[in-house]
Amino acid sequence: MPIPTEAFFLDHRSELPLQLQLRRQIIAGVQEGRFRPGERLPSTRALARQLGVARVTVTQAFAELVATDYLRAQDRAGYYISDAIDLALDVDEVTPVAERFSWDAHLDDRYQRAQRSDRVTDWRRFRFPFVYGQADPQLVDLSAWRDCAVRALGRREFAPMTGDLYGEDDPELIDYIARHILPRRGIRARADEILLTLGAQNGLWLAAQILLRQGGDCAVEDPCYPGLREILSHTGAVIRPVPVDALGLPPEQIPLGLKAVFTTASHQCPTNSTMPVERRRQLLRLAQDRGFAVIEDDYEFEMSFAGSASPALKAMDRAGAVIYIGSFSKSVFPGLRLGYVVADARVIREARALRGMVLRHPPGLLQRTLASFLSLGHYDAQLNRMRRAYAERRAVMSTAIDTHGLSRAGGGRAGGSSFWLATPPGLDSARLGQALRDHEVLIEPGTPFFADRARGAGFYRLAYSSIPASLIEEGVDRIAQVLQRLQR
Amino acid sequence: MPIPTEAFFLDHRSELPLQLQLRRQIIAGVQEGRFRPGERLPSTRALARQLGVARVTVTQAFAELVATDYLRAQDRAGYYISDAIDLALDVDEVTPVAERFSWDAHLDDRYQRAQRSDRVTDWRRFRFPFVYGQADPQLVDLSAWRDCAVRALGRREFAPMTGDLYGEDDPELIDYIARHILPRRGIRARADEILLTLGAQNGLWLAAQILLRQGGDCAVEDPCYPGLREILSHTGAVIRPVPVDALGLPPEQIPLGLKAVFTTASHQCPTNSTMPVERRRQLLRLAQDRGFAVIEDDYEFEMSFAGSASPALKAMDRAGAVIYIGSFSKSVFPGLRLGYVVADARVIREARALRGMVLRHPPGLLQRTLASFLSLGHYDAQLNRMRRAYAERRAVMSTAIDTHGLSRAGGGRAGGSSFWLATPPGLDSARLGQALRDHEVLIEPGTPFFADRARGAGFYRLAYSSIPASLIEEGVDRIAQVLQRLQR
């Protein structure tokens, strides 16, 4: 494939000769890496036609560039970007860069500054990646997903799903969620009480925007999901952290004067504790009495493989005070970017209007593919496979943690995909994490989870969703060894 | 597939008998439509195990419900939701609804109020849909897309593309955009100057947020894309509309004291005019002198089938003042929800941080599928097919417009996918649009495009991206007839 003729432009009103303009464009393209050694240029005829110039103009420009080694002519086959370019050559041929526009007055970098910096994008290169929330490709039924994708790409499904859906969602997916996913959490919802989102992150963001953009106080669990604190820091809200205990968020510790309370009742993030029914009742009573909204992030409910699942907080929410956030990231795969919000129809209408303005809707083909994956039973089969694998990994890790004398700091009897651990007194988990990298082990230090980051130095998380059972024992052993070395 | 056992929950600490709780759940499920006539219930044994109760509790509950006609017992095959339910029966069996939570204090419905109300979601039911921005499935190479999707779902591509990419984009797609798409617009960009978005809507939103969330004045073309005005109304910005003329935005009319100017230079939305080079130079000079950012929405560049494409405004932007927004919605299909922003690396870093917080990243599998679709040449082939079809439709429509004496109000020599027309003096295009619906014709009245909506009453848009050439003549004929009737 030659470089397309559309890659070249001339300014016929410029004072620069056309031939020189063309030469400069090619040189700049090479120097900036857009044109690469060995690539073929369009024919002089085609390029002259595209540019509206005489063919000789193009021929001369090319000949000059052959002379300066930017191009190589191959008789009859045409012109190629030379393999022997010395990029230092001819720099002054390129138009000097104009004065740069000053972005200082425009950008305050607020989003970058509040951004989480603890994410490790190259976690795959670690042999022992105790990283949270990533998929294990071995557990995903790839061929079933492929079949569903192909089905969604059938002519009949294609037309409605490839159009601009404006604010709408795929009714088939909504119907399946309402009838088969939510009932497992004890939740009843009509279609107008459900909104699809780009994953749980997007659901949390939408809820925070519509409730707190204008300010007000809100409570978060401490520790909590760091991404939530990042989201809230860009609303006008004052964040009031409430320390959790072994039973999750203690309702009696919730301060007065709140607009909203964020909770991970069923599976506290990151400590894994489960809020008992009495606390849930109390929380909902307070919500009604004091008029605060409750945002429930039920981020990992499908992984409750140990013991019978408790219903969601939303299941007890007769008054409609709970905005429930679910996701397929853990149960299908994270890169899918599909989740949902369940709430009072009025909340959903407003969240839908905001979603429409920000991104319109999640891609239609993915919605339909997922609907098919769910309704054909692949989701259930995959969940069962994941639960079995996670149960095994959890058992192996639990034994290894005890054998090697690591110290548990959280609950998790209901399953999940991680353990929450404490470092020995005085040892900073960030230092532990750094030292472990040299031993091919990736852990998650506790600091980002806490309002007071210093408190997090005593904790770390080990997740097992991306590490095979066979490597867990050795990984935990390495952690124990490095812990010992650092304490000496 | 029976109703899953997980759909049922009991509260063992409640004072209500367990058997009654179970009955109420089933009745509520039926009344709310979650359980539907003919669906099979789980076996009494499986349900008793799930609920942790004696089997007789479940059996008794089921027997009661058979007696009241909610369930139907089929010997040996189990229990089914009855087909003969009178939903009015037994309403008082259901727990009365508690006092509803009051959302009034929490929601101001600001997003709903500013929302566009002119979108017609059921445009497919019109025989003559002159609707803008929707795909024509006949022009999309569905089988090529399917092949690429399957390719992206190969084991090797699957792992990296299904994970949580945090803030990253697919390097293959970014590389293709940088090397093959942008050069056609005369734009050079490095990977760190490009960000993928959920379509152009998302790109515009991100740019508006990082520049104008804190307020400041900005200029928009008048008329302009209504979604842009909706986005800006939720920043702190003051919107200054600048009337366009036959050559697009007149730079000398841009007021002083702006932070940003939004333009559709290459193809003014909705009038279709193209801004000449001299105006572009002047606009960029003003941007540099006065320090305002320019946001270029190049929403339809691939459809410049008539005449040779002019480069983007961004191509002349040596100083780096332009934030360029592109999209694959028009050229691949709208439901894909993939677009991109090209700007100074500093702008991109900030936009990436915001995108990460709002939605993480566009779905990985779609990114990889698109990369494959582009690099295998399907995109170019599809573009050529679209351009040919649109050129034909445009020619047919142009003739029909003249034959039937409709009045043109805009340019569009470079192509595009729509005509901008004027109604006869005194005739409101919204009234025209309403009357045409009875004749199976869908048009877009001009009001939503204008800052002063009343000015838009004199205009309407006819798009031809979703209507086959063979129906255009009859559709235009119907418009002309209704126009005549309304003028009588």
Side-chain angles (χ1 to χ4, degrees):
Chain A
M1 191 167 59
I3 299 168
T5 55
E6 292 96 333
F8 305 88
F9 286 106
L10 297 181
D11 180 355
H12 289 267
R13 298 162 60 158
S14 163
E15 289 163 16
L16 281 183
L18 298 172
Q19 200 237 86
L20 179 59
Q21 286 186 46
L22 180 56
R23 263 162 56 208
R24 285 188 174 174
Q25 274 198 14
I26 294 171
I27 292 168
V30 170
Q31 293 186 325
E32 292 163 5
R34 287 182 294 117
F35 305 156
R36 298 188 190 172
E39 287 190 318
R40 184 150 61 90
L41 277 88
S43 73
T44 53
R45 184 187 307 270
L47 189 52
R49 193 170 49 227
Q50 159 77 13
L51 297 173
V53 299
R55 195 171 162 196
V56 65
T57 306
V58 177
T59 317
Q60 281 180 358
F62 282 10
E64 284 279 347
L65 290 169
V66 169
T68 50
D69 267 349
Y70 276 96
L71 298 186
R72 161 173 64 80
Q74 197 162 317
D75 35 35
R76 294 180 186 278
Y79 292 86
Y80 293 78
I81 304 293
S82 166
D83 302 294
I85 296 167
D86 179 350
L87 289 184
L89 272 177
D90 265 322
V91 169
D92 62 355
E93 274 264 32
V94 182
T95 317
V97 173
E99 197 187 337
R100 296 297 294 177
F101 182 80
S102 166
W103 285 100
D104 289 337
H106 289 274
L107 299 177
D108 57 9
D109 295 344
R110 60 170 55 219
Y111 297 111
Q112 286 169 81
R113 273 188 280 109
Q115 202 175 17
R116 289 180 66 175
S117 56
D118 62 308
R119 288 206 170 106
V120 179
T121 51
D122 64 344
W123 59 271
R124 281 193 183 77
R125 73 173 182 82
F126 290 86
R127 194 154 164 240
F128 306 95
F130 293 108
V131 64
Y132 183 84
Q134 291 288 0
D136 182 342
Q138 301 305 323
L139 297 178
V140 177
D141 190 346
L142 175 57
S143 68
W145 184 264
R146 195 192 287 125
D147 288 347
C148 293
V150 168
R151 179 186 290 256
L153 287 163
R155 178 64 65 186
R156 201 177 61 84
E157 317 270 345
F158 188 68
M161 282 300 113
T162 50
D164 186 335
L165 308 176
Y166 306 129
E168 308 287 308
D169 292 320
D170 179 7
E172 288 189 18
L173 180 53
I174 294 291
D175 184 62
Y176 195 91
I177 291 171
R179 295 186 57 215
H180 295 280
I181 308 279
L182 296 178
R184 300 174 192 205
R185 307 297 294 130
I187 299 170
R188 310 153 179 186
R190 298 187 313 263
D192 66 352
E193 295 170 328
I194 305 173
L195 178 74
L196 292 183
T197 61
L198 260 277
Q201 175 85 21
N202 189 225
L204 280 173
W205 183 85
L206 291 168
Q209 285 299 113
I210 61 172
L211 295 177
L212 297 165
R213 176 154 174 201
Q214 305 304 306
D217 286 20
C218 67
V220 300
E221 296 169 339
D222 191 30
C224 76
Y225 167 55
L228 172 61
R229 214 177 291 109
E230 186 188 344
I231 285 171
L232 292 172
S233 73
H234 291 291
T235 62
V238 176
I239 306 173
R240 314 275 298 267
V242 178
V244 301
D245 58 26
L247 301 177
L249 181 71
E252 67 278 9
Q253 300 296 323
I254 294 173
L256 294 171
L258 298 181
K259 284 175 80 172
V261 172
F262 290 81
T263 182
T264 47
S266 298
H267 212 124
Q268 208 276 327
C269 171
T271 66
N272 294 325
S273 61
T274 300
M275 190 188 286
V277 170
E278 195 35 61
R279 279 200 176 179
R280 293 174 186 227
R281 282 217 187 86
Q282 198 184 341
L283 177 59
L284 293 176
R285 210 154 40 223
L286 286 179
Q288 185 73 335
D289 292 349
R290 300 188 193 163
F292 60 75
V294 176
I295 298 89
E296 176 184 23
D297 181 1
D298 200 27
Y299 65 105
E300 207 177 47
F301 76 85
E302 300 105 326
M303 296 310 144
S304 314
F305 46 81
S308 84
S310 65
L313 180 64
K314 178 76 181 160
M316 298 169 60
D317 173 37
R318 296 259 160 204
V322 177
I323 299 178
Y324 174 92
I325 290 165
S327 164
F328 294 102
S329 294
K330 304 288 185 293
S331 51
V332 183
F333 48 81
L336 178 60
R337 309 301 316 130
L338 279 177
Y340 46 92
V341 175
V342 183
D344 188 277
R346 182 164 167 200
V347 174
I348 292 298
R349 277 198 302 277
E350 183 69 351
R352 189 184 299 280
L354 175 57
R355 187 196 72 178
M357 185 179 75
V358 171
L359 59 83
R360 295 259 166 95
H361 56 78
L365 283 176
L366 286 185
Q367 294 188 37
R368 188 51 63 92
T369 302
L370 178 60
S372 176
F373 191 77
L374 295 173
S375 63
L376 294 175
H378 298 309
Y379 170 75
D380 292 295
Q382 179 164 311
L383 270 193
N384 288 335
R385 192 164 51 246
M386 281 183 165
R387 285 177 183 150
R388 273 196 304 275
Y390 284 9
E392 184 203 354
R393 292 177 194 181
R394 186 171 189 87
V396 171
M397 194 184 268
S398 185
T399 305
I401 284 173
D402 294 341
T403 307
H404 293 284
L406 303 191
S407 170
R408 294 173 197 240
R413 282 179 29 247
S417 65
S418 66
F419 283 88
W420 183 241
L421 299 162
T423 56
L427 179 59
D428 186 337
S429 57
R431 202 176 140 225
L432 172 65
Q434 200 52 50
L436 280 167
R437 287 165 158 259
D438 297 336
H439 297 80
E440 301 177 275
V441 178
L442 185 64
I443 66 165
E444 296 188 319
T447 33
F449 297 93
F450 285 85
D452 171 8
R453 292 172 63 89
R455 277 192 60 210
F459 300 95
Y460 60 106
R461 182 162 70 172
L462 295 187
Y464 44 84
S465 52
S466 294
I467 184 169
S470 59
L471 290 173
I472 287 176
E473 153 66 24
E474 188 181 342
V476 172
D477 184 21
R478 290 184 183 209
I479 295 171
Q481 286 184 29
V482 170
L483 267 176
Q484 271 198 330
R485 187 140 9 105
L486 291 176
Q487 283 179 93
R488 258 181 238 142
Chain B
M1 191 166 59
I3 299 169
T5 56
E6 293 96 333
F8 304 88
F9 285 106
L10 295 183
D11 181 353
H12 288 266
R13 298 163 60 159
S14 163
E15 288 163 19
L16 281 182
L18 298 171
Q19 200 235 85
L20 179 60
Q21 285 187 45
L22 180 56
R23 263 160 59 207
R24 283 187 175 174
Q25 274 197 15
I26 294 170
I27 291 168
V30 170
Q31 292 188 326
E32 292 163 5
R34 286 182 294 118
F35 305 154
R36 299 191 187 170
E39 286 190 318
R40 183 151 60 90
L41 275 89
S43 72
T44 52
R45 185 188 307 271
L47 189 52
R49 195 171 46 229
Q50 158 77 12
L51 297 173
V53 299
R55 196 171 162 197
V56 66
T57 307
V58 177
T59 316
Q60 281 179 357
F62 281 11
E64 285 278 347
L65 292 169
V66 170
T68 50
D69 268 350
Y70 276 97
L71 298 186
R72 162 172 62 82
Q74 197 161 317
D75 36 34
R76 295 179 184 280
Y79 291 86
Y80 292 79
I81 304 292
S82 165
D83 301 295
I85 296 169
D86 179 350
L87 289 184
L89 272 176
D90 265 323
V91 168
D92 61 355
E93 273 265 35
V94 180
T95 316
V97 172
E99 199 186 336
R100 296 297 295 174
F101 183 80
S102 165
W103 285 100
D104 289 339
H106 289 275
L107 299 175
D108 57 8
D109 296 346
R110 61 171 55 220
Y111 296 112
Q112 286 169 82
R113 272 187 281 108
Q115 201 176 19
R116 290 181 64 177
S117 57
D118 61 309
R119 288 204 169 108
V120 180
T121 50
D122 64 344
W123 60 270
R124 282 191 181 79
R125 73 175 181 81
F126 290 86
R127 193 156 165 238
F128 306 95
F130 292 110
V131 64
Y132 184 82
Q134 291 287 1
D136 183 341
Q138 302 304 323
L139 297 177
V140 176
D141 191 344
L142 174 57
S143 68
W145 184 265
R146 196 191 287 125
D147 289 347
C148 293
V150 168
R151 179 185 291 257
L153 286 163
R155 180 64 63 185
R156 201 177 63 82
E157 317 269 346
F158 187 68
M161 282 300 113
T162 50
D164 186 335
L165 308 176
Y166 306 128
E168 308 287 307
D169 291 322
D170 180 6
E172 285 188 20
L173 180 54
I174 294 290
D175 184 65
Y176 196 91
I177 291 171
R179 296 184 57 214
H180 296 280
I181 307 278
L182 296 177
R184 299 173 194 207
R185 306 297 295 130
I187 299 170
R188 310 157 179 181
R190 297 187 314 262
D192 65 352
E193 294 169 329
I194 305 172
L195 178 74
L196 293 182
T197 61
L198 262 277
Q201 176 85 21
N202 189 225
L204 280 172
W205 183 83
L206 290 169
Q209 286 297 113
I210 61 172
L211 295 176
L212 297 165
R213 176 153 174 202
Q214 304 305 306
D217 285 21
C218 68
V220 300
E221 297 169 339
D222 191 31
C224 75
Y225 167 56
L228 172 61
R229 214 178 291 109
E230 186 189 344
I231 285 171
L232 292 171
S233 74
H234 291 293
T235 61
V238 175
I239 306 173
R240 313 278 298 269
V242 178
V244 301
D245 59 26
L247 302 176
L249 181 72
E252 67 278 8
Q253 300 296 323
I254 293 174
L256 294 172
L258 297 181
K259 284 174 80 173
V261 172
F262 291 80
T263 181
T264 47
S266 297
H267 212 123
Q268 207 277 327
C269 171
T271 67
N272 294 325
S273 63
T274 300
M275 190 188 286
V277 170
E278 195 37 60
R279 280 200 176 180
R280 295 174 185 228
R281 282 217 186 83
Q282 199 184 341
L283 177 59
L284 293 176
R285 208 155 42 225
L286 287 179
Q288 185 71 335
D289 292 349
R290 299 188 192 164
F292 61 73
V294 177
I295 297 88
E296 177 183 23
D297 181 1
D298 200 28
Y299 65 106
E300 207 176 49
F301 76 86
E302 300 106 325
M303 296 311 145
S304 314
F305 46 80
S308 84
S310 65
L313 180 63
K314 178 74 182 161
M316 297 168 61
D317 173 36
R318 296 260 160 203
V322 177
I323 298 177
Y324 174 91
I325 290 164
S327 165
F328 293 102
S329 294
K330 304 287 185 295
S331 51
V332 182
F333 48 80
L336 178 60
R337 310 302 315 133
L338 279 176
Y340 46 92
V341 175
V342 183
D344 188 278
R346 182 164 167 198
V347 175
I348 292 298
R349 276 197 304 275
E350 184 68 350
R352 188 184 300 279
L354 175 56
R355 187 196 71 179
M357 186 178 75
V358 172
L359 59 83
R360 296 260 168 96
H361 55 78
L365 283 176
L366 285 184
Q367 294 188 36
R368 187 53 62 91
T369 302
L370 178 60
S372 176
F373 191 78
L374 296 172
S375 63
L376 294 176
H378 299 308
Y379 170 77
D380 292 294
Q382 180 164 312
L383 270 192
N384 287 336
R385 192 164 51 247
M386 281 183 165
R387 283 177 183 150
R388 273 196 304 274
Y390 284 10
E392 184 203 354
R393 293 177 192 181
R394 185 170 190 88
V396 171
M397 194 184 268
S398 184
T399 306
I401 283 171
D402 294 341
T403 308
H404 293 284
L406 304 190
S407 171
R408 294 173 197 237
R413 281 179 30 248
S417 64
S418 66
F419 283 88
W420 183 240
L421 299 162
T423 56
L427 179 60
D428 186 336
S429 56
R431 202 177 140 225
L432 173 64
Q434 200 51 50
L436 281 166
R437 286 164 159 259
D438 298 335
H439 298 81
E440 301 177 276
V441 178
L442 184 65
I443 67 165
E444 296 189 320
T447 33
F449 298 94
F450 284 85
D452 171 10
R453 292 172 63 89
R455 278 193 60 212
F459 300 96
Y460 61 105
R461 181 162 72 172
L462 295 186
Y464 44 84
S465 51
S466 296
I467 184 169
S470 59
L471 290 173
I472 287 176
E473 154 67 25
E474 188 181 343
V476 171
D477 183 21
R478 290 182 182 209
I479 295 170
Q481 287 184 29
V482 171
L483 267 175
Q484 271 198 331
R485 188 145 4 109
L486 291 176
Q487 283 178 94
R488 259 183 237 138

